Amino acid sequence: MTATATAKPTASETADALLRRARTAFDAAPPLGDAAYTRYCRELAALLQERRPDIQAANRADVRRAETRGLPPTLVDRLRLTDEHFDRMVELTDAVVRELDAVLADTRGVPAGDWGVLRGVPKPLGVALMIYEARPTVTVDGALLPVAVGNAVLLRGGKESAATDAALAATVEAALVSAGLPAGLVTVLEDPDRSLMKAVLARPDQVDVLIPRGSPSLIEYCRTASSIPLIASGGGVNHLYVHRSADLALAARVTLNSKIPEPAGCTSVEMVLVDREIAPDYLAAVLAECERQDARLTIRLDSSMAGPAARDDTPWRTEPLEPHDLGREFLDPVIGLRPVSGLDEAAEHIRAYGSRHTEGVLAEDPGTARRFTRLVDAAMIVVNGSLRLHDGPKLGLGSEISIATGRLHVRGPVTLGALVTTTWVVEANGELRD
């Protein structure tokens, strides 16, 4: 056998084959709104339920490998696919079906001068590439939302979830075929070699949109390594500003709800900026709320603050806030606490260290809240509520695939409506142009 016959394909050759498969499937797929897309959503829900034991077995293997490698507990938790996760994935398929009619409706015709009628017709974006870290639920998000509105998608998850993603990929392919859609509409990139990802990123002629989800370093890598148009989710370096007029009991509940349920989530609070004169009272309120909820929390205090000593029975503890903690995602039940002289200093800190994802203000004074929303730039600003409210379904905006922090095309929850573009159709009735 010759060396040529046994040679492994290069990353570029593999990328070409994968992209041809995706583009061919996209071109062969039925028009947007065809009943096959609804069938696909329902078939995927049924197969996720049917194959749940096999997928969870693969997931347990991934989790064991992650624990053996010594990954931090928060990252291991991201890998887990619990029954609750499965229930949510099935609910997501139902939600997408309910939302499709509104997303896919042609716009009502409007007059074009006195001679014609103009209307917008939704069309898919094309071939999408999603790059994300080891969170298997995102594999289902990526295989569902873009495809339901006619796109083809290539999914590249973290190597830590390889077995789970392979089981999910087989489930997705079976759902596509059963629904009468091309199997190539979803491709899970199983090769962990970064050279393959680089080769795909170098193909703006074949990939229409890039959707990275993960750490700031991943987003920045995608931004600089490719010229493919980007829907960037950005990192979640998020802040709460607690004004002197705030209800401190509410502020304590909001702080814990913005951190404890999902400490590594992109809407998690990382730094609390509190007016200096109420900082001790705010800290006392948070510690009391930690004890009431038995919520484990570490608070890193600015050097200007002295915290009480933790007892053996307290769920909280305090540590010094270090310079490298500014602008940091802790990815753990940890927050920083820094006193400020007022709103202007808080806004200046957020401009310097925030990721323009989700910011919040706690103030009973409406003028302060309004001024905060004008001074601070973010995809979402929450007034007197949890930062975790930044969620498409919770806000009534619909199912989301990510939260975008860029300024073009979409900002905030990336819902089904952001995964289509518009073809303008003009009924010209024989009109000519001078």
Side-chain angles (χ1 to χ4, degrees):
M1 189 174 290
T2 66
T4 302
T6 59
K8 180 182 177 181
T10 66
S12 179
E13 290 169 341
T14 302
D16 283 344
L18 291 170
L19 291 169
R20 278 196 306 272
R21 179 176 187 262
R23 182 61 64 178
T24 300
F26 174 71
D27 291 340
L32 204 59
D34 190 275
Y37 296 107
T38 300
R39 287 199 302 273
Y40 167 63
C41 295
R42 301 203 187 284
E43 290 290 338
L44 181 57
L47 286 170
L48 284 170
Q49 294 283 41
E50 178 185 317
R51 300 187 180 191
R52 180 185 296 206
D54 294 337
I55 297 169
Q56 287 185 314
N59 182 248
R60 287 193 293 272
D62 281 333
V63 170
R64 283 195 299 271
R65 280 191 290 271
E67 290 173 334
T68 301
R69 290 177 54 204
L71 290 185
T74 304
L75 298 183
V76 174
D77 284 343
R78 281 187 174 191
L79 282 174
R80 296 184 197 277
L81 274 183
T82 65
D83 286 337
E84 183 180 2
H85 288 129
F86 269 91
D87 291 343
R88 287 180 183 172
M89 290 189 292
V90 172
E91 290 168 6
L92 180 63
T93 63
D94 292 338
V96 167
V97 169
R98 291 194 302 271
E99 295 163 16
L100 277 174
D101 285 345
V103 172
L104 301 180
D106 293 357
T107 60
R108 182 179 299 177
V110 297
D114 60 359
W115 48 266
V117 176
L118 182 67
R119 57 191 172 89
V121 177
K123 296 289 183 70
L125 294 176
V127 175
L129 168 63
M130 278 192 65
I131 302 175
Y132 49 99
E133 291 163 345
R135 195 188 285 265
T137 54
V138 180
T139 301
V140 175
D141 295 347
L144 175 62
L145 273 73
V147 174
V149 288
N151 299 287
V153 63
L154 295 95
L155 304 173
R156 203 269 192 182
K159 62 183 179 181
E160 297 83 1
S161 58
T164 311
D165 284 344
L168 289 171
T171 303
V172 167
E173 181 168 337
L176 287 166
V177 172
S178 180
L181 291 171
L185 284 179
V186 178
T187 301
V188 176
L189 305 182
E190 298 177 356
D191 189 340
D193 189 347
R194 280 203 167 191
S195 62
L196 174 59
M197 184 175 70
K198 290 179 181 178
V200 176
L201 286 172
R203 295 298 303 275
D205 59 316
Q206 289 295 326
V207 181
D208 298 291
V209 62
L210 171 59
I211 309 174
R213 280 186 56 170
S215 65
S217 61
L218 171 64
I219 306 300
E220 188 58 25
Y221 173 77
C222 290
R223 195 188 307 278
T224 57
S226 178
S227 60
I228 300 169
L230 188 76
I231 298 178
S233 58
V237 183
N238 307 316
H239 303 78
L240 280 170
Y241 167 55
V242 184
H243 183 251
R244 64 181 66 87
S245 69
D247 177 331
L248 292 184
L250 172 65
R253 294 194 300 273
V254 165
T255 301
L256 266 60
N257 189 260
S258 298
K259 169 57 74 171
I260 298 301
E262 298 178 285
C266 64
T267 55
S268 172
V269 64
E270 308 298 344
M271 179 71 68
V272 179
L273 307 168
V274 57
D275 278 347
R276 198 174 308 280
E277 58 266 44
I278 64 163
D281 293 336
Y282 165 78
L283 175 60
V286 170
L287 299 183
E289 189 64 22
C290 284
E291 293 179 18
R292 190 184 73 79
Q293 297 185 22
D294 193 28
R296 302 285 166 181
L297 181 67
T298 298
I299 304 175
R300 297 191 175 175
L301 297 174
D302 183 82
S303 59
S304 64
M305 292 189 67
R311 307 182 305 273
D312 290 342
D313 62 340
T314 56
W316 52 265
R317 64 189 179 118
T318 62
E319 297 176 348
L321 182 71
E322 304 292 345
H324 68 265
D325 290 328
L326 307 183
R328 177 181 175 186
E329 283 188 281
F330 293 110
L331 305 177
D332 277 311
V334 177
I335 61 171
L337 178 56
R338 184 183 181 196
V340 292
S341 59
L343 173 55
D344 288 339
E345 185 179 348
E348 182 179 351
H349 178 103
I350 292 169
R351 278 194 294 271
Y353 298 105
S355 58
R356 292 175 173 79
H357 194 292
T358 311
E359 305 291 354
V361 56
L362 289 148
E364 293 291 290
D365 174 41
T368 295
R370 282 195 302 270
R371 189 158 179 265
F372 183 91
T373 64
R374 292 172 182 172
L375 284 177
V376 171
D377 179 47
M380 177 154 288
I381 294 174
V382 182
V383 178
N384 291 323
S386 171
L387 298 188
R388 292 175 54 245
L389 295 173
H390 192 182
D391 173 79
K394 178 67 176 178
L395 295 167
L397 297 175
S399 304
E400 70 178 31
I401 196 167
S402 67
I403 293 175
T405 55
R407 295 180 177 276
L408 300 179
H409 176 58
V410 59
R411 199 177 201 203
V414 181
T415 58
L416 288 174
L419 298 174
V420 296
T421 186
T422 300
T423 290
W424 290 103
V425 175
V426 60
E427 297 172 11
N429 296 316
E431 179 73 8
L432 303 179
R433 184 172 177 182
D434 295 338

